[in-house]
Amino acid sequence: MIRTLSKSIREYKMPSILSPVFVAMEVVFECIIPLVMASLIDHMNGSSMKPILYDGLILIGLSMCSLFCGRMAAIEAAKASCGFAKNLRFDMFSNIQSFSFQDIDKFSTSSLVTRMTTDVTNVQNAYGQIIRGLVRAPLMIIFSIVMALGINARMSLIFIFILPVLAFVLIGITLIVHPIFVRIFHKYDAMNDSVQENVNGIRVVKSFVREDYEINKFDKRSEDIRVDFTRVEKILAINMPVMTLAIDLAMLLVSMIGSNIIIKSHAADLTTGELSSLITYGIQILVSMMMVSMVFVMVIISEESAHRIAEVLEYKSTLTSPQNGIKEVADGDIEFDHVSFSYSKKAKKNALSDISLHIPSGSTLGIIGGTGSSKSTMIQLISRLYDATEGSVKVGGIDVRDYDLDSLRDQVSVVLQKNVLFSGTIIDNMRWGDPAAGIDEIKHACALAQADKFINQMPKGYETYIERGGSNVSGGQKQRLCIARAILKKPKVLIFDDSTSAVDTKTDALIRKGLNDAIPDTTKIIIAQRISSVQDCDRIIVLDKGRIAESGTHDELIRKNGIYREIFESQTGKEAEA
C-alpha cells in the first residue's frame, strides 16, 4: 500500500524532504534554548547584567531561527501534502477511466466518489502530519532525553519510565478504534449511494411523494454513522486526559525531587536554572508524546482510507488493450459466433446464450424484445464494454479482443437511451464526436438528426449553453443532439440503443431516412420498443431471455406468426395481414 501511494508523490519529493529537514533544525534550536535559559537564571545573582544580556541575545537569536525553521517546515509540508493529494486524485481518476462497466459495478459509483474526496482528504491530512508532526515528536523526545541526561541522569529516569506507560495506552486505543473506522467508511459509501440515487431520481421521488421515506432512509444511515463515530470519540477521549495526567505527575515529581536535591546539596548537584531546564525538557517530552498520539489518531483514521485508495490505484481493468493491438477497423462487418455472456462467474444463468449472427457492412439491423431480454447487453459486446464469456464477437473480420480499445471504440459509436450531455455550448457537446469538426459539419450532423430546427429557434443557436446533464433541454431534444454527436464521429458502426424513444414517429422516420442517405456504408443497429422504428431494417431479430427467438425481415416475421407479430398487433391495434 505504501509503495503504491508513494508513487503519487512524484514532483513533490523535494518539499517532502525539506519539511523534515527544517523540522529537525527547529527541534535542535528548541532543545538548545532551555540550556541557555538555565544559564540566564543562574546568572541572576545580582553581580552583573552583562551575562544576562548576552544570554538574552542568544535566546532571541535561537527563537528567531526556530521560528524561521518552523514556518518553512509548515510551508513545505503544505506543498507536499496538497500536491500529494492532487496527484492521488489524478492517478485514481486516470485509472478509473480505464475501468470497464463490470469494474464500475464492482466498486460502485458512490464508493469511487468517496475515495476521491473524503479518503484523499484523510490521507492528505495524515501525510502532512507525518512529514512534520511525526518527525518532530520523536526527534524532540530523543534530543530532550539526551539533554536531560546531561543535566541530571537520575532525574531523567522519571521521563524514561513514564514513556512506556503512555505508549501502551496509545497502542491499546489504536487496536480498539481501527476496526470501527473500517466499518464507518463502508457506511459512508452506503450513505453516498443513497444520496446519489435520490438526487438522480428526484423527479420520481417527488412525483410519488416519497420525500419523507427518503429522508427517513437517509436519517437512519446518518444516525448509524453518528453512533459509530460517537463510540470512537469516546474511546479517543481517553487519550488526552491520560497524557495530561502523565505530564502533571511528571512535573510534580521533578519539582519535588529537584527542589530536595538543590536544598540538600546547596545547588552543588543541581542548580535552579538546571531544574528549570529539566522541567522544560520534561514538558517537551510529554507534549511530544501528546503530539504523537494525535498524529496516530489521524493515521488510524487515514489508514483505511489509504487502503481504499490503493485498491483503486492497483486495480487492473478486466478489459485492456492487447499488446500491439490492431488500430485499423476495415469495415462495419459484425459477426457473433456462438456468443454467451454472464455478468459474473457466480451468475446462475447467462444474460446471453449461444448468439450466432452476421451483420454485413453497411446494412441495418433492428433488434426488438421485451424488457430484460439483454438487447443492450448484446450491443455492448461490439464496442467491448464487456467481453463475451463464450464464443467471439468480430468487427471487420477481426475478434474485438485483438483491437486496440481506443481504436475499436472510435469506430463503434453508441447512442444510449439515457443520453448524457455535458455542461458547455451545443458546439462543445458536438465536438465530443469530432474535436476538429467545423460549424458546417456540426450543422449538417444536426440536420440529419433533426435537431437543427429547435437549435435555430434558440436565442443563441449553436452557442446555447447546455446545463449539466442537459437539464435545460427536453428528452427528445437531448436524444437528437446525442445522435448528431455520434454521427460526427463518422464511425464504421452506429448503434441506437432505444435512442429515439422520446421523439415522435415522424421525426424518428426522418432521422432513419437521413442516416440511410448520408452514411450508406455505415453499419446501423437499431434497438427499439416500437415496431415502426425497425420495420424498414434489412434484418430484424427478436431477443427473448437472452436468445434469438426470431430473425428475418418485417414481412417474414409477420408471416411467422410469432413474438414479432404479437408485438406488431399489440402496438397497431389491428390484426396483421399475411
Side-chain angles (χ1 to χ4, degrees), residues 241-257:
V242 170
M243 293 291 174
T244 304
L245 178 63
I247 290 175
D248 292 341
L249 287 174
M251 292 306 100
L252 181 62
L253 288 171
V254 168
S255 299
M256 289 175 60
I257 297 172

Side-chain angles (χ1 to χ4, degrees), residues 18 40 50 95 98 126 214 225 296 363 368 406 456 458 497:
L18 287 176
L40 187 145
K50 187 176 180 179
N95 199 38
S98 69
E214 289 293 322
I225 293 173
F296 257 78
S363 65
I368 199 163
D406 291 342
N456 291 327
M458 292 177 169
D497 187 0

Side-chain angles (χ1 to χ4, degrees), residues 399-539:
D399 194 315
V400 293
R401 288 169 287 201
D402 295 330
Y403 280 111
D404 173 76
L405 267 177
D406 291 342
S407 300
L408 172 67
R409 290 173 182 172
D410 201 42
Q411 292 300 323
V412 180
S413 192
V414 183
V415 186
L416 302 170
Q417 180 183 11
K418 294 181 180 179
N419 297 285
V420 177
L421 293 174
F422 297 88
S423 54
T425 64
I426 289 175
I427 292 176
D428 293 336
N429 273 277
M430 292 302 101
R431 283 179 176 154
W432 276 69
D434 181 4
I439 188 64
D440 291 336
E441 290 178 280
I442 291 173
K443 287 182 176 179
H444 178 64
C446 289
L448 289 175
Q450 301 299 308
D452 56 333
K453 292 179 183 178
F454 75 80
I455 293 174
N456 291 327
Q457 291 173 357
M458 292 177 169
K460 294 185 179 180
Y462 286 83
E463 293 294 339
T464 299
Y465 190 84
I466 301 295
E467 301 293 342
R468 180 178 176 270
S471 58
N472 59 333
V473 291
S474 69
Q477 290 172 340
K478 192 188 298 184
Q479 286 188 337
R480 281 175 277 173
L481 287 172
C482 290
I483 291 170
R485 183 174 64 187
I487 292 169
L488 273 171
K489 286 191 74 173
K490 303 178 181 68
K492 297 288 195 321
V493 179
L494 183 56
I495 301 171
F496 298 95
D497 187 0
D498 206 10
S499 50
T500 57
S501 58
V503 301
D504 58 87
T505 53
K506 181 182 177 181
T507 304
D508 185 12
L510 289 172
I511 291 171
R512 285 184 281 111
K513 184 179 184 304
L515 293 176
N516 288 332
D517 294 341
I519 48 175
D521 296 329
T522 297
T523 303
K524 293 169 281 294
I525 299 175
I526 302 171
I527 296 176
Q529 299 291 340
R530 294 188 302 220
I531 292 289
S532 59
S533 297
V534 299
Q535 64 182 19
D536 296 326
C537 293
D538 299 318
R539 187 180 181 186

